[in-house]
Amino acid sequence: MRLSNTLSRSVDPVQPLEPGVVRMYSCGPTVYRHAHIGNLRTYLMADWIRRGLEAQGLSVVHVKNITDVGHMRQEMLERGEDKVIASALAEGKTPREIADFYTEAFHADEARLGILPATHFPRATDHVEEMVSITERLLERGYAYEVDGNVYFSVSRFPDYGRLSGNVGGDLLEGVRAEADPLKRDPRDFTLWKAAEPGRLLFWPSPWGDGFPGWHIECSAMSTKYLGERLDIHTGGVDNVFPHHEGERAQSEGAFGGPFVRTWVHGQHLLADGVKMSKSSANDYTLEELESRGFDPMAFRYLCLTVRYRSRLNFTFSALRAAQRGLQRLRNRVWEWSALTGVAGVDGADVEHWRQTFLERVNDDLDMPGALSLTWAMTRSDLPDRAKLALLLEFDGILGLGLAGSVESWRVPERISEAQARRSELRARLDYPEADAVRRSVGDDGYILEDAAAGTRARPKSELERRRERWPEVSSSREVSSLLDEPDGPEFSVGIVACNYLGDVQRCIDSVLPLGDRHSLEIVVVDNGSTDGTSAWLEEKAGEDPRVRVIHADHVLGEAAAKNILLKQSLGAYVVLMDTSVEATEDFLSPLAAALADASVGAAGPWGLRTSDLRHFEEIDEGRADAIQAYCFAFRRALVQDVELMRESFRFYRNLDLEYSFCFLEKGYRLMALSSLPLQRHEHRVWTSLSEEEREELSMVNFRRFLRRWGHRQELLVSAGGG
Ligand code: AMP
Ligand code: ZN
């Protein structure tokens, strides 16, 4: 097998130091939260390397560490932050309880994806002694120095530092934070051991006093302990290259002499909406979320097979759906062929040729997309079906889709097998209309009859197949057609984005509908990937009241994308975007329409904001505003053509209202606050459900976006005579 080696920047053969045994280390999870599917993509990559090597007679000793003193980023650690501890405090638990919980969840995720368990899963907190002893060794050998109970690695002592990542000279300083630790001799130096500050929850004794280890040192310690001083393969995601692996390499080679790792393999990122999947971009999905949307975890494995590990993979639900269909079709093959009897026939030149070409794909820098398409070609070849089945299951030993096991559970009750026999018989008699009627009746019952070579067979519908029958769903705002060119329909469109919190959704909608006695109105709802009973309730509501229209999204679209669907679908002369935390206590539509009748007014709402520096915004009661808050934001529909749709890079709701308000100001419209509107604000659950840290992080990202575009447009402000 040849793999792209980050260190040599070439595709190198795997040649284990000890013949027949490959020592592989994979950077594992930080267990203060669920792994997201981006993390899991990286673990899948290591799994395919391992399965590929094992299928070719090598044995693999695989170590995957559990980072249970969670220093996500070295600089965070250097500020004394620790995510495991922070989550523990927030949830009222001990760090150990938090770590244990998420470690279990991680193992369960890996199992559901068919990832083989590593030989060892060492926990960082069980190896602090080893970390201390490597640190001592580095001090002895002159690669480290101590200042006030802190030990730092001295980068200048290791001239090869920077070779793995290609970060040399000035580049190295880029990753260093402005408020660098004053105790460091060189800002590039990194922490091996940090003295515990007073009041710290978790710390260990050391020759330098109580403290806790750096992040990189844990991997140097655990890899050496279980694999020795030389590794054949080390894996991780590309974000691990620097500083984590650069630091790890410097430590290990400093302590034990080089070379530490032969082949460094780094998986490219999983993206969603074009950016790296991560908690802080609010675009991270867990396996559990995919499952709650009806997907089989294995569909994600299949999806990852379709893109080479060294390429980015942009995750979308439509791609996942296609992957699930592909998986289903492979399972169908297994299911169909396993009904055949006779000898398997896995010998012969043809079979051997398929086997060899499949392995060639795997060995060629893990070309899993090539291996998968070869698998498909094989299933369509003219080999006997029994041989195809045997080869397919053999290939699956590396693909890891668990094909054999998945069809075993396809049991059907007696009434369904009877229907299956009846359809077979009717088809044999060429009575197709009757045969199709039988199939339809079974379909309503949750089963599928499929006609295979050996006759009709029955299987339960997959979760996804059942869901797709409920109501149509969209995956992006692009899929929704625009009605902006259509003439006005009702006087008002009230647009609502609903995502769970059914009680709030009901309160909001039920408070608006009675206003229909006085106004012609419609309520347009984007059901933004709800997973509780909200979708079903909305569907029912729309069924009984034609003024309510629902567009279901198959996952949580970004806030701007969801609102753009509202903008495109609204037909009212006035569009009123309303948050589900808001309740109408009386007719608030008449005063809104009166304010918006003034052609110089672009948007209006009860909660306005003013600013004088574009950094601080204050709520105002009445009159000209610099922004209207999203709780209730109204404008004439005709203006959308001029102001345009919202910027979809705003995934999180916060500050999107500032952004959109400024789009109106820029076009020369005024914004009006109307404090006396009869609306009541209740708890805003999207906000209150977030931790302090999440609020801060998500808001910041959007505020920076806002500032980049509008930060120097002082002239638009009311205080500057703008608008
Ligand atoms: P963490 O739990 O953050 O330490 O990450 C665990 C592993 O997932 C590391 O090897 C990371 O490099 C990798 N990783 C993090 N984000 C992504 C992503 N969006 N796509 C692929 N791998 C990732
Ligand atoms: Zn690591």
Side-chain angles (χ1 to χ4, degrees):
M1 183 183 293
R2 292 169 312 282
L3 292 169
S4 288
N5 185 352
T6 310
L7 185 64
S8 68
R9 288 163 178 72
S10 57
V11 183
D12 296 343
V14 178
Q15 282 162 337
L17 283 166
E18 180 188 336
V21 183
V22 176
R23 297 174 205 284
M24 176 160 85
Y25 186 89
S26 299
C27 283
T30 311
V31 284
Y32 72 99
R33 55 145 163 75
H34 286 285
H36 60 61
I37 57 176
N39 304 137
L40 295 170
R41 182 189 185 201
T42 297
Y43 306 140
L44 280 168
M45 171 189 77
D47 190 57
W48 281 314
I49 295 175
R50 168 159 167 202
R51 284 172 180 265
L53 294 171
E54 287 182 344
Q56 299 175 75
L58 291 155
S59 85
V60 179
V61 188
H62 188 195
V63 175
K64 192 178 285 177
N65 66 298
I66 306 279
T67 302
D68 61 350
V69 215
H71 357 94
M72 282 287 293
R73 291 284 169 265
Q74 186 74 6
E75 66 267 18
M76 217 170 258
L77 164 90
E78 289 175 0
R79 287 196 305 254
E81 285 173 30
D82 182 313
K83 296 216 174 187
V84 174
I85 297 178
S87 325
L89 293 174
E91 295 183 33
K93 301 202 170 104
T94 67
R96 186 61 182 238
E97 282 169 334
I98 290 283
D100 285 350
F101 175 81
Y102 289 110
T103 303
E104 275 317 300
F106 161 73
H107 288 310
D109 282 350
E110 286 214 317
R112 282 182 298 176
L113 280 178
I115 296 176
L116 299 173
T119 326
H120 305 281
F121 285 107
R123 274 203 264 234
T125 49
D126 293 337
H127 297 80
V128 176
E129 243 173 75
E130 287 84 348
M131 298 181 214
V132 167
S133 89
I134 295 186
T135 305
E136 283 182 301
R137 230 181 128 93
L138 286 168
L139 280 165
E140 276 160 28
R141 305 187 70 179
Y143 286 100
Y145 57 92
E146 190 223 325
V147 189
D148 299 344
N150 301 284
V151 184
Y152 299 98
F153 187 91
S154 177
V155 165
S156 63
R157 288 279 294 116
F158 188 76
D160 218 24
Y161 189 81
R163 187 164 138 220
L164 179 67
S165 59
N167 285 351
V168 283
D171 293 354
L172 282 175
L173 288 169
E174 221 164 79
V176 176
R177 292 174 49 86
E179 66 256 39
D181 184 342
L183 300 180
K184 286 180 185 175
R185 289 185 195 155
D186 179 333
R188 297 173 302 167
D189 294 350
F190 56 88
T191 306
L192 297 170
W193 187 264
K194 186 159 176 71
E197 70 283 4
R200 193 186 163 83
L201 263 172
L202 268 190
F203 54 84
W204 293 264
S206 84
W208 320 285
D210 290 345
F212 53 98
W215 173 32
H216 319 317
I217 194 74
E218 72 171 76
C219 288
S220 287
M222 292 186 271
S223 58
T224 328
K225 169 150 183 189
Y226 296 94
L227 298 172
E229 293 165 10
R230 307 264 177 278
L231 321 185
D232 296 303
I233 301 175
H234 194 310
T235 73
V238 285
D239 58 308
N240 280 160
V241 176
F242 189 84
H244 185 50
H245 289 165
E246 195 73 74
E248 195 183 324
R249 179 168 177 266
Q251 293 161 172
S252 294
E253 300 201 354
F256 307 110
F260 168 46
V261 171
R262 260 224 171 147
T263 310
W264 289 91
V265 189
H266 291 106
Q268 258 297 352
H269 280 144
L270 186 72
L271 313 182
D273 302 303
V275 290
K276 178 191 166 194
M277 182 168 289
S278 67
K279 181 102 192 156
S280 55
S281 301
N283 64 352
D284 57 327
Y285 295 101
T286 61
L287 208 53
E288 212 173 304
E289 279 173 78
L290 302 193
E291 278 193 291
S292 74
R293 296 184 191 288
F295 290 94
D296 189 313
M298 279 299 182
F300 180 67
R301 185 170 182 120
Y302 189 103
L303 178 65
C304 291
L305 277 171
T306 63
V307 176
R308 193 68 151 296
Y309 74 94
R310 50 185 161 83
S311 301
R312 293 193 179 92
L313 166 50
N314 192 31
F315 176 82
T316 63
F317 280 88
S318 20
L320 185 62
R321 211 171 296 119
Q324 175 131 355
R325 279 196 299 271
L327 175 66
Q328 182 75 47
R329 290 199 341 258
L330 276 186
R331 286 175 175 169
N332 281 346
R333 292 287 91 81
V334 172
W335 175 55
E336 185 184 321
W337 293 332
S338 50
L340 301 172
T341 48
V343 187
V346 280
D347 307 318
D350 274 359
V351 168
E352 194 49 35
H353 175 74
W354 281 110
R355 189 177 279 142
Q356 284 315 318
T357 23
F358 180 84
L359 285 178
E360 265 166 38
R361 289 300 91 233
V362 176
N363 286 339
D364 175 13
D365 200 10
L366 219 58
D367 177 13
M368 300 315 288
L372 181 63
S373 61
L374 197 102
T375 303
W376 276 109
M378 185 277 293
T379 65
R380 295 191 203 99
S381 72
D382 49 15
L383 284 179
D385 287 347
R386 289 291 290 170
K388 288 194 221 176
L389 176 65
L391 267 182
L392 180 54
L393 296 181
E394 191 181 314
F395 292 178
D396 194 36
I398 297 181
L399 301 176
L401 296 168
L403 294 174
S406 63
V407 303
E408 274 163 17
S409 60
W410 289 1
R411 303 252 174 277
V412 295
E414 194 152 334
R415 64 176 197 287
I416 302 297
S417 358
E418 281 163 12
Q420 164 194 330
R422 204 155 64 248
R423 179 172 164 90
S424 262
E425 200 185 294
L426 289 164
R427 276 171 53 88
R429 278 198 263 129
L430 308 180
D431 186 353
Y432 293 113
E434 206 37 47
D436 287 348
V438 171
R439 184 169 61 186
R440 269 194 305 279
S441 71
V442 167
D444 296 341
D445 223 357
Y447 293 87
I448 286 184
L449 294 186
E450 281 175 336
D451 309 310
T456 298
R457 304 198 62 195
R459 66 167 172 86
K461 282 182 186 169
S462 74
E463 174 69 17
L464 194 65
E465 284 166 334
R466 268 184 273 136
R467 277 173 173 253
R468 296 294 290 172
E469 288 170 1
R470 297 183 312 188
W471 45 66
E473 290 177 336
V474 300
S475 299
S476 74
S477 67
R478 278 190 309 281
E479 289 170 28
V480 178
S481 55
S482 169
L483 307 179
L484 287 169
D485 289 328
E486 304 279 320
D488 288 346
E491 192 184 359
F492 292 96
S493 289
V494 175
I496 293 168
V497 177
C499 179
N500 299 330
Y501 307 117
L502 175 58
D504 292 9
V505 176
Q506 288 170 327
R507 182 186 59 215
C508 178
I509 292 178
D510 289 340
S511 76
V512 173
L513 280 173
L515 307 182
D517 296 345
R518 280 193 238 172
H519 303 284
S520 75
L521 62 82
E522 62 169 1
I523 299 186
V524 185
V525 187
V526 168
D527 167 27
N528 201 13
S530 299
T531 47
D532 61 1
T534 301
S535 309
W537 184 83
L538 286 168
E539 195 59 23
E540 211 176 295
K541 194 82 187 167
E544 66 198 34
D545 191 330
R547 293 173 303 170
V548 179
R549 247 188 313 138
V550 185
I551 298 124
H552 299 279
D554 67 359
H555 68 290
V556 184
L557 304 174
E559 187 72 7
K563 291 208 161 128
N564 280 343
I565 294 180
L566 295 177
L567 298 186
K568 292 209 254 181
Q569 282 286 305
S570 291
L571 283 168
Y574 299 103
V575 177
V576 184
L577 300 179
M578 213 169 142
D579 191 81
T580 53
S581 63
V582 174
E583 178 184 9
T585 48
E586 262 177 76
D587 177 17
F588 69 107
L589 296 173
S590 302
L592 266 179
L596 292 170
D598 178 343
S600 70
V601 175
W607 296 289
L609 296 171
R610 279 265 196 109
T611 180
S612 52
D613 57 3
L614 284 154
R615 265 77 182 165
H616 306 90
F617 287 80
E618 271 167 39
E619 277 204 24
I620 56 157
D621 283 351
E622 191 71 42
R624 300 270 305 277
D626 293 317
I628 301 295
Q629 296 192 64
Y631 301 108
C632 174
F633 190 115
F635 44 89
R636 288 187 299 283
R637 190 171 71 107
L639 295 190
V640 178
Q641 305 274 17
D642 191 18
V643 174
E644 296 180 5
L645 296 176
M646 301 191 186
R647 268 208 287 167
E648 298 201 357
S649 49
F650 283 78
R651 280 196 55 84
F652 183 57
Y653 79 94
R654 200 127 191 276
N655 300 327
L656 170 62
D657 47 4
L658 301 185
E659 157 83 17
Y660 205 48
S661 294
F662 273 66
C663 294
F664 282 85
L665 295 179
E666 191 188 33
K667 296 286 175 180
Y669 298 107
R670 303 166 166 213
L671 305 177
M672 292 303 278
L674 309 166
S675 66
S676 53
L677 292 188
L679 290 172
Q680 195 183 339
R681 238 155 90 180
H682 297 274
E683 181 186 345
H684 191 238
R685 290 183 210 270
V686 178
W687 183 249
T688 51
S689 69
L690 295 172
S691 72
E692 196 72 47
E693 192 192 14
E694 290 167 329
R695 288 177 192 170
E696 176 104 359
E697 215 166 333
L698 295 169
S699 305
M700 239 1 242
V701 173
N702 277 357
F703 194 66
R704 282 204 206 99
R705 263 192 201 109
F706 166 78
L707 274 186
R708 270 197 299 277
R709 182 165 174 196
W710 304 104
H712 51 278
R713 302 293 304 272
Q714 295 276 350
E715 82 279 5
L716 296 175
L717 303 180
V718 177
S719 56

